[in-house]
């Protein structure tokens, strides 16, 4: 991400498709005569994105009659697919002004498809019990004073700052260096690993300073305190190597290939119309992560219970 932050990819191949039976939500099945195709959906490695993608996939297949194939792709790799034709849509983009400039403005192989409705927040966090016990720990100016609390076998005598998936586009190493913090950035390896570390830090009262973000179901389950970094100002993160300010809030959006926008028909319209809240995403993420549902079953459950939300996404006449 910048999550930074699961991203989606759509490739439309013309093909006939057979009619489907009626399903949850009460929408009649798409016409067997409709000229539908295959939509290739790329999944980026965080569950919030997977939630977006799961609901879009479900509606494309069950309500509009498309076939959807999913691919696991790293965040920035997805953008390359706009040029190669392998990627048709990213359905949870966290900023990436540099990539927008390259692929939308310069190469003109992608277009903006509007907001997802989600607000993305990225920051540094400690468990709430630490903020209660050490009230000034949530000011970055005091982090060096507490570095000893965060030492681990992996941090080489410095305090450990725990990051997530190394493929996420983050500013943490630059922040540690430019703010002259006595910490070492250690990568947990995945979203699941950093969530597990955060939960253990709460349950076992273990010190932890870590990178995290929302929308995220974990914030609805447990309490964490955000560390105040130097305030974000427009342009303060323009040079990735010189960043010394906090992350901005992000209006999460969708980006699609120019070809998909021009020829994707009802599939493109649904992606463009898709817009929900952080609470919606967190609910589906919770179904997947904590209630043992597959992505498809999680989407099915949400669709069955939230017709008023998704009904307006379905293109007129579909």
């Amino acid at each position: 991400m910048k999550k930074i932050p699961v991203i989606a990819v759509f490739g439309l191949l013309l093909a006939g498709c057979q009619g489907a039976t009626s399903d949850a939500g009460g929408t009649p099945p798409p016409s067997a005569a409709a000229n539908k195709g295959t939509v290739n959906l790329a999944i980026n490695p965080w569950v919030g994105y997977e939630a977006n993608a799961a609901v879009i996939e479900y509606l494309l297949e069950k309500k509009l009659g498309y076939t959807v194939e999913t691919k696991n792709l790293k965040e920035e790799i997805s953008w390359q697919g706009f040029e190669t034709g392998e990627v048709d849509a990213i359905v949870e983009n966290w900023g990436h002004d540099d990539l927008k400039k390259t692929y939308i403005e310069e190469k003109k192989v992608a277009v903006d498809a509007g907001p997802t409705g989600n607000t993305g927040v990225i920051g540094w966090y400690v468990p709430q019990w630490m903020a209660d016990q050490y009230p000034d720990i949530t000011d970055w100016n005091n982090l060096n004073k507490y570095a000893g609390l965060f030492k681990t076998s992996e941090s080489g005598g410095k305090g450990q700052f725990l990051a997530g998936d190394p493929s996420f586009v983050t500013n943490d190493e630059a922040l540690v260096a430019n703010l002259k913090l006595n910490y070492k950035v250690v990568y947990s390896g995945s979203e699941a690993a950093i969530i597990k570390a955060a939960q253990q830090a709460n349950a076992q009262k273990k010190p932890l300073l870590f990178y995290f973000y929302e929308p995220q179901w974990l914030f609805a389950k447990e309490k964490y305190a955000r560390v105040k970094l130097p305030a974000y100002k427009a342009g303060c993160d323009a040079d990735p190597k010189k960043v010394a300010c906090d992350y901005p809030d992000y209006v999460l959006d969708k980006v699609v290939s120019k070809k998909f926008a021009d020829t994707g028909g009802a599939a493109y319209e649904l992606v463009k119309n898709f817009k929900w809240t952080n609470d919606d995403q967190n609910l589906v993420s919770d179904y997947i992560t904590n209630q043992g549902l597959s992505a498809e079953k999680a989407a099915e459950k949400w669709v069955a219970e939230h017709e008023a939300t998704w009904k307006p996404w379905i293109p007129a006449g579909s």
Side-chain angles (χ1 to χ4, degrees), residues 5-282:
V6 157
I7 284 174
V9 182
F10 294 84
L12 188 63
L13 307 174
L14 293 180
C17 81
Q18 299 181 359
T21 58
S22 182
D23 53 70
T27 299
S31 168
N35 184 21
K36 304 299 183 181
T38 298
V39 174
N40 296 310
L41 181 60
I43 307 298
N44 280 186
W46 59 90
V47 71
Y49 189 94
E50 187 178 354
N52 284 27
V55 170
I56 289 172
E57 176 183 2
Y58 186 86
L59 292 174
L60 284 171
E61 290 193 335
K62 305 301 183 183
K63 303 301 181 183
L64 297 183
Y66 288 86
T67 298
V68 176
E69 295 182 2
T70 59
K71 302 177 181 180
N72 293 315
L73 295 174
K74 298 295 186 181
E75 192 173 10
E76 292 194 60
I77 298 300
S78 300
W79 288 77
Q80 298 175 16
F82 291 142
E83 192 167 19
T84 64
E86 298 175 67
V87 172
D88 288 327
I90 288 172
V91 297
E92 185 174 283
N93 172 59
W94 288 68
H96 295 309
D97 289 342
D98 55 338
L99 295 173
K100 286 185 175 181
K101 181 179 180 181
T102 297
Y103 292 97
I104 295 178
E105 298 177 19
E106 296 175 357
K107 296 187 175 182
K108 302 185 186 304
V109 294
V111 298
D112 191 317
T116 66
N118 301 122
T119 299
V121 178
I122 297 174
W124 290 11
Y125 295 87
V126 294
Q128 184 60 46
W129 70 263
M130 292 198 75
D132 295 339
Q133 188 169 335
Y134 311 102
D136 63 345
I137 202 170
T138 56
D139 182 337
W140 75 270
N141 288 287
N142 300 317
L143 286 177
N144 280 345
K145 181 170 73 171
Y146 293 106
L149 291 176
F150 299 103
K151 287 182 180 179
T152 70
S153 60
E154 297 180 78
S155 62
K158 298 182 177 182
Q160 174 181 279
F161 176 87
L162 190 65
D165 187 320
S167 73
F168 293 171
V169 182
T170 64
N171 299 330
D172 303 320
E173 291 193 19
L175 284 166
V176 167
N178 296 328
L179 296 178
K180 296 179 171 55
L181 299 177
N182 189 30
Y183 286 78
K184 179 181 178 181
V185 176
V186 174
Y187 291 90
S188 64
S190 67
E191 180 185 63
I194 204 166
I195 289 174
K196 182 178 180 180
Q199 291 176 316
Q200 288 178 341
N202 255 343
Q204 301 173 16
K205 293 294 189 288
K206 293 170 57 178
L208 183 68
L209 174 64
F210 65 108
Y211 156 95
F212 211 52
Y213 44 81
E214 53 182 310
Q216 230 303 324
W217 61 265
L218 183 64
F219 284 111
K221 302 287 186 179
E222 300 181 1
K223 293 187 179 298
Y224 301 91
R226 187 171 177 180
V227 174
K228 294 180 181 178
L229 297 171
Y232 177 85
K233 295 180 181 179
C236 70
D237 56 353
D239 186 340
K241 295 181 180 179
K242 296 180 179 179
V243 176
C245 60
D246 209 342
Y247 291 92
D249 288 350
Y250 297 92
V251 175
L252 305 188
D253 60 3
K254 298 155 293 184
V255 182
V256 303
S257 73
K258 180 68 164 57
K259 181 179 179 181
F260 186 62
D262 291 342
T263 65
Y268 164 67
E269 291 298 325
L270 186 144
V271 172
K272 183 179 178 181
N273 294 341
F274 172 85
K275 190 173 184 180
W276 65 355
T277 66
N278 284 17
D279 287 342
D280 289 321
Q281 187 187 101
N282 286 343

